Amino acid sequence: MRDGESVITLRTELANDLSALERIAERLEPPPAKLRVLPTSDPVVAAVAFELHNYYCVSENLTRRVATSFENALDPNEWHRQLLSRMSLD
């Protein structure tokens, strides 16, 4: 990433991702009280699992945007591991 327009685009995309994470988190708060007593095949459990999956995917996309915006090439065969490793660096 080298120009100001790219930075503006990245900031906008990251802001959108963060907003999506907030919306998902709101749908998960507070945890459904009946979730503790329902069998795992219940639709409520499936809905919570779906929201958690969405949260993870948005988080992954957010970190991938950051990595690729700063020209961090990710190996197509190992990008998940590389992404987690790079985003956990101090």
Side-chain angles (χ1 to χ4, degrees):
M1 175 178 338
R2 297 199 170 115
D3 61 25
E5 188 174 319
S6 295
V7 172
I8 292 169
T9 300
L10 176 62
R11 286 182 63 158
T12 302
E13 290 173 338
L14 295 179
N16 289 340
D17 288 343
L18 290 171
S19 293
L21 290 174
E22 288 174 9
R23 286 191 304 275
I24 295 167
E26 286 172 5
R27 289 193 296 266
L28 290 168
E29 289 282 335
K34 66 179 190 169
L35 186 60
R36 291 183 289 260
V37 295
L38 295 174
T40 57
S41 62
D42 190 276
V44 173
V45 176
V48 170
F50 178 75
E51 293 297 350
L52 290 172
H53 171 78
N54 288 342
Y55 194 92
Y56 177 84
C57 288
V58 173
S59 299
E60 185 177 63
N61 287 340
L62 188 147
T63 57
R64 193 174 192 186
R65 286 183 207 280
V66 171
T68 57
S69 292
F70 292 97
E71 299 177 9
N72 285 308
L74 298 170
D75 182 333
N77 297 320
E78 297 185 16
W79 73 269
H80 284 268
R81 184 187 60 74
Q82 289 176 344
L83 186 63
L84 289 173
S85 175
R86 290 181 189 173
M87 292 301 120
S88 65
L89 298 174
D90 287 334

